[in-house]
Amino acid sequence: PSIELLELMGVVRENGSEQGSFPPVKIIDDDLVFYGIQAPREIFEMYRYLLKVSDACNWSSDQNAVPLSTKKKQKELKDSWARWTACLQGQPITTVNYFGEKVALYYLWLGWYTYLLIPPAVIGVIVFLYGLAFFNSSPLKEVCEADTIMCPLCDKRCKVWQLSDTCMYAKQVSLLFDNNGTVLFAMFMAVWTLFLEFWKRHRASFVCEWKVSDWCEEEEELILEIVNNANCEPKEYKHSYLRSTLVLICVTILVIIGLTHALVVFRVIAAVLMADGSWEFLSNHSNSCAMMLGAVFHYLIITVMTRINRIVAMKLKTRSHAATEKSFTVKMFTFQFFTYFSSLFYVAFFLGCHPSGCLTDLFIQMAIIMVLKQTISNVFEFTVWLCRWLKRRRTHKLQRKCAHCYLKDESEAKHGSELCDNCKLRNWLSNYRLNDVDSFSLFNEFLEMIQFSFTTIFVAAFPLAPLLALINNVIEIRLDAIKMVTLERRLVPKKTNDIVWTGVLEAIGVLAVIANGLVIGVSSDFIPRLVYRYLYGPCANSTAADTCMVGYINNTLSTVRMGDNNILNEFLPKQMVTAGGLNVSHCYKDYRSNEDYSLTPQFWLILAVRFAFVILFEQHVVVICKFIAAWFVPSAPMQVKNDRLFDKLNRLKEEL
């Protein structure tokens, strides 16, 4: 039998006898029959030898046994790791390595990421509180005290409206997330993504300790194929441009364009229905309510598309399990990323601004999606855990081990000693009743790392995202640990020297720099306020800092006269009637000339400064810092490199 089959059965062990093969063990319960299959010693010897002589897997053949979970080991993991009271404690990663290097590296990454979320979470709260100080700022006073009548926001149905109607909206939301503190926080978060360089150093220390620095999963799979069949042929690398093109078209048309249009149409229909409804509150706040309903609808789409994306990604298999896992990770993340962020990109850069600020819509979308996702996901996962725990409590309790086997287990008898049939049956039944797992079970946990995108991309619109991520991760680590130790069968330990998501996380870091630069430079009011302060405002020729922003709102508007020939066909007469029944002869819009309504020089100046800021922010500040940090911080500590050097030297001398 193949080693892969034996490992998946979870009963692999090397027998110390000199015989070549043994009859399988068979133990019958009331309605179950258990078979214990023993592999010939020659299989393990061949496997170890090939690992030893391979280029990438050498010196990593010390352990072959994959025993089932035992009560003693489960208790050890519960006491040190898998319990709620350990939420604020560190993780015993070396002990977690009981599940294999792949699982241990996942928890090592999650713990490291959670620990480094503390600074941005604290700074994000400070930025949020800083926004509260803007409640009495000049621009806000001008919005709340203005009697300015604004032009309709849409064709035919929308009417003129009072600028002061957005006072509470601007006061409660906009200036909390569109201020100078937000800009500095976005810059900090763009540089914060450099922690991935420090993660590489942190990972290298444990990888060196576990002696898997040069491990290659694909080469191990090749060795397993040779062990199973000495005359096997390798699975050749293949690439289909047709399939890649179809996937690209699918992602572009169905996911990006399709979902974005669906959400836009939903918001438009919801806004119209609520505006024409009988409820006065919904009618007066139809746009805001439609935006919130759109965010909830977006979350429901995400939930459905996650299942669809998984099915599609699993269909796109490649030549080996390791390659399939990497390919599945990239494809699944790509599908999920566009499912989550296609509408957010549209809101941020194409939808157009709400009267009280461009970041407001983006903030509400992100807040609703992130809160719903984390809350519902954790509540559902905890409910499943609780139901399974209660179910186990109600099942028939297994008899205790006999005295002989109990003492043998307590004294940690050497490997190879056998339990009696009754005690074997007890252990097998205990593991059989646990939930089944497969090679992609860990991927479900990694998929939660889409949260990393929320804490970096568009963080300028939602400074509280790192705090929510921190709280979620503290709960997530212990919930996953408890589930893995008490509710699931032991995963077949797999060796690896890195998490599959490293490349994905680095791509998110680059996107975060680009997106935050665009949000600050293009979507926020930071640049227009800056230009007004130093070129058009009261402080342009003086230093009276307390009055620098007086007149800013009026400066951003221009008068539109309804009797002008250029405007006659733009609005209907019924649109020029206020909510109080007053007919108006003019309204206000953006940076336009009062004569011919062309864009003013100030508009073009602001546009030029926006793009100049984006270029400077991305290329000359953050990117340079990232490259300097990547060069300055070695990927592995010198002590780790020296340990590997001496370890290789000693092993080579031993072989010689």
Side-chain angles (χ1 to χ4, degrees):
S2 70
I3 292 178
E4 288 177 301
L5 173 62
L6 294 172
E7 283 182 308
L8 292 174
M9 293 181 66
V11 293
V12 172
R13 66 180 182 275
E14 180 186 359
N15 196 295
S17 176
E18 296 298 328
Q19 299 180 19
S21 60
F22 304 88
V25 177
K26 178 180 178 180
I27 300 180
I28 302 176
D29 189 36
D30 295 335
D31 55 350
L32 297 171
V33 179
F34 291 96
Y35 289 91
I37 303 176
Q38 296 175 322
R41 182 185 182 90
E42 290 78 8
I43 289 182
F44 291 96
E45 292 299 330
M46 186 188 308
Y47 176 65
R48 286 179 173 179
Y49 175 75
L50 291 176
L51 283 178
K52 194 172 184 179
V53 299
S54 69
D55 295 330
C57 301
N58 53 336
W59 315 120
S60 302
S61 58
D62 296 338
Q63 181 181 357
N64 274 127
V66 186
L68 298 173
S69 294
T70 62
K71 291 291 184 182
K72 185 174 183 180
K73 193 63 181 181
Q74 286 180 329
K75 184 178 185 303
E76 179 185 344
L77 288 167
K78 287 179 186 177
D79 293 340
S80 62
W81 180 52
R83 54 188 175 87
W84 290 112
T85 53
C87 280
L88 301 181
Q89 298 178 7
Q91 299 184 87
I93 297 299
T94 303
T95 305
V96 178
N97 196 27
Y98 165 76
F99 294 104
E101 285 80 359
K102 185 168 287 189
V103 173
L105 281 177
Y106 163 71
Y107 284 103
L108 182 68
W109 149 256
L110 190 57
W112 179 254
Y113 165 54
T114 303
Y115 176 74
L116 289 182
L117 274 174
I118 296 176
V122 173
I123 297 175
V125 173
I126 293 174
V127 169
F128 177 78
L129 296 176
Y130 172 78
L132 297 175
F134 276 78
F135 269 26
N136 295 318
S137 63
S138 295
L140 187 58
K141 283 185 177 180
E142 292 179 25
V143 171
C144 296
E145 298 173 2
D147 56 1
T148 304
I149 297 176
M150 302 297 294
C151 293
L153 295 174
C154 64
D155 298 334
K156 296 182 180 180
R157 289 181 176 272
C158 299
K159 295 184 177 182
V160 291
W161 50 280
Q162 292 279 349
L163 178 61
S164 58
D165 292 344
T166 64
C167 175
M168 289 304 297
Y169 192 77
K171 197 173 208 177
Q172 294 176 355
V173 180
S174 180
L175 287 176
L176 291 177
F177 303 100
D178 190 359
N179 54 64
N180 295 337
T182 303
V183 176
L184 296 176
F185 181 60
M187 292 181 179
F188 167 78
M189 287 302 296
V191 178
W192 177 79
T193 58
L194 293 174
F195 87 90
L196 288 173
E197 300 299 329
F198 294 93
W199 153 248
K200 294 175 184 177
R201 287 174 56 87
H202 189 57
R203 173 189 60 82
S205 301
F206 287 88
V207 167
C208 178
E209 178 184 343
W210 299 330
K211 294 181 172 56
V212 290
S213 300
D214 299 320
W215 184 264
C216 176
E217 294 178 64
E218 291 198 20
E219 192 158 338
E220 185 207 12
E221 290 187 36
L222 192 61
I223 291 173
L224 287 173
E225 290 182 15
I226 297 174
V227 170
N228 293 329
N229 180 12
N231 299 317
C232 68
E233 295 292 332
K235 298 176 182 177
E236 298 181 359
Y237 291 94
K238 295 180 181 179
H239 179 73
S240 172
Y241 289 99
L242 176 61
R243 187 171 69 170
S244 300
T245 303
L246 291 176
V247 172
L248 182 62
I249 293 174
C250 175
V251 172
T252 304
I253 296 179
L254 297 181
V255 180
I256 303 177
I257 299 177
L259 291 182
T260 302
H261 276 73
L263 290 168
V264 171
V265 170
F266 176 84
R267 286 181 56 163
V268 170
I269 294 175
V272 170
L273 292 177
M274 285 186 285
D276 294 340
S278 57
W279 290 6
E280 183 179 354
F281 177 82
L282 290 179
S283 180
N284 294 335
H285 302 85
S286 58
N287 286 333
S288 301
C289 294
M291 177 174 51
M292 295 180 186
L293 282 177
V296 176
F297 180 60
H298 188 188
Y299 171 77
L300 296 177
I301 289 178
I302 289 171
T303 304
V304 175
M305 287 301 298
T306 298
R307 298 182 178 274
I308 297 175
N309 292 341
R310 178 183 293 276
I311 295 172
V312 173
M314 284 299 296
K315 295 292 184 182
L316 304 173
K317 292 186 177 181
T318 52
R319 51 179 294 277
S320 65
H321 177 78
T324 298
E325 186 177 10
K326 293 176 182 177
S327 175
F328 179 75
T329 299
V330 173
K331 291 181 176 70
M332 188 66 183
F333 172 78
T334 302
F335 294 154
Q336 286 294 92
F337 179 83
F338 286 115
T339 301
Y340 274 87
F341 286 93
S342 55
S343 70
L344 295 179
F345 274 97
Y346 174 78
V347 170
F349 304 123
F350 302 104
L351 179 62
C353 298
H354 188 277
S356 60
C358 289
L359 294 189
T360 307
D361 284 12
L362 189 58
F363 153 71
I364 293 177
Q365 289 268 343
M366 288 187 64
I368 291 177
I369 292 173
M370 193 170 183
V371 170
L372 281 177
K373 181 183 180 302
Q374 293 190 349
T375 303
I376 294 178
S377 176
N378 280 332
V379 168
F380 177 77
E381 198 168 349
F382 179 79
T383 303
V384 171
W385 170 82
L386 185 61
C387 292
R388 289 174 177 174
W389 181 79
L390 292 174
K391 182 180 178 181
R392 288 191 65 197
R393 296 279 293 181
R394 291 194 298 267
T395 56
H396 175 65
K397 290 189 176 181
L398 300 172
Q399 62 180 357
R400 293 179 58 85
K401 289 182 182 178
C402 65
H404 175 71
C405 294
Y406 181 81
L407 292 175
K408 183 185 297 184
D409 184 48
E410 287 297 312
S411 62
E412 297 184 351
K414 61 182 180 180
H415 182 66
S417 59
E418 294 287 340
L419 301 177
C420 67
D421 285 356
N422 287 334
C423 293
K424 283 181 184 176
L425 180 61
R426 178 187 182 278
N427 286 343
W428 292 353
L429 280 172
S430 176
N431 281 273
Y432 177 78
R433 291 175 179 175
L434 297 175
N435 298 296
D436 195 12
V437 293
D438 56 39
S439 56
F440 282 96
S441 295
L442 186 62
F443 182 85
N444 298 329
E445 312 302 339
F446 263 118
L447 195 57
E448 297 294 328
M449 286 300 99
I450 195 75
Q451 169 216 96
F452 180 67
S453 305
F454 279 92
T455 60
T456 52
I457 302 174
F458 298 137
V459 73
F462 192 27
L464 296 180
L467 176 64
L468 295 180
L470 175 64
I471 297 172
N472 175 81
N473 286 2
V474 170
I475 299 173
E476 183 80 17
I477 289 175
R478 302 305 161 179
L479 188 58
D480 289 347
I482 293 172
K483 181 177 66 176
M484 186 171 288
V485 172
T486 61
L487 298 178
E488 295 178 345
R489 297 174 188 172
R490 182 184 179 185
L491 275 168
V492 176
K494 294 288 185 181
K495 289 182 180 293
T496 188
N497 55 16
D498 199 0
I499 56 175
V500 184
W501 285 72
T502 298
V504 170
L505 296 172
E506 290 178 341
I508 293 174
V510 174
L511 286 173
V513 175
I514 297 173
N516 281 297
L518 289 172
V519 167
I520 297 170
V522 177
S523 301
S524 76
D525 284 340
F526 171 71
I527 298 299
R529 287 198 298 261
L530 200 66
V531 171
Y532 178 79
R533 173 184 287 270
Y534 293 105
L535 295 179
Y536 296 93
C539 293
N541 299 314
S542 66
T543 58
D546 56 334
T547 60
C548 286
M549 297 305 296
V550 172
Y552 168 71
I553 297 298
N554 287 333
N555 178 260
T556 63
L557 302 174
S558 58
T559 306
V560 177
R561 293 177 295 277
M562 295 299 102
D564 196 295
N565 293 329
N566 297 326
I567 306 298
L568 286 176
N569 298 325
E570 188 167 341
F571 302 117
L572 298 176
K574 65 178 183 179
Q575 291 183 269
M576 304 309 297
V577 181
T578 64
L582 177 66
N583 288 310
V584 297
S585 59
H586 64 277
C587 59
Y588 292 89
K589 293 185 77 173
D590 49 11
Y591 296 99
R592 300 277 179 174
S593 168
N594 292 332
E595 286 75 27
D596 57 359
Y597 305 110
S598 62
L599 295 170
T600 63
Q602 185 178 352
F603 170 83
W604 296 109
L605 175 62
I606 291 174
L607 185 63
V609 176
R610 285 183 189 275
F611 285 109
F613 173 84
V614 171
I615 294 172
L616 289 172
F617 178 81
E618 293 177 5
Q619 297 186 5
H620 292 78
V621 180
V622 178
V623 174
I624 290 177
C625 290
K626 288 177 73 70
F627 277 114
I628 290 176
W631 167 78
F632 187 75
V633 180
S635 58
M638 292 299 106
Q639 184 61 43
V640 170
K641 291 185 176 181
N642 290 328
D643 289 345
R644 287 186 59 194
L645 178 64
F646 282 101
D647 183 61
K648 284 186 177 181
L649 179 63
N650 293 333
R651 288 178 179 272
L652 288 171
K653 287 181 177 180
E654 182 181 346
E655 283 297 308
L656 182 62

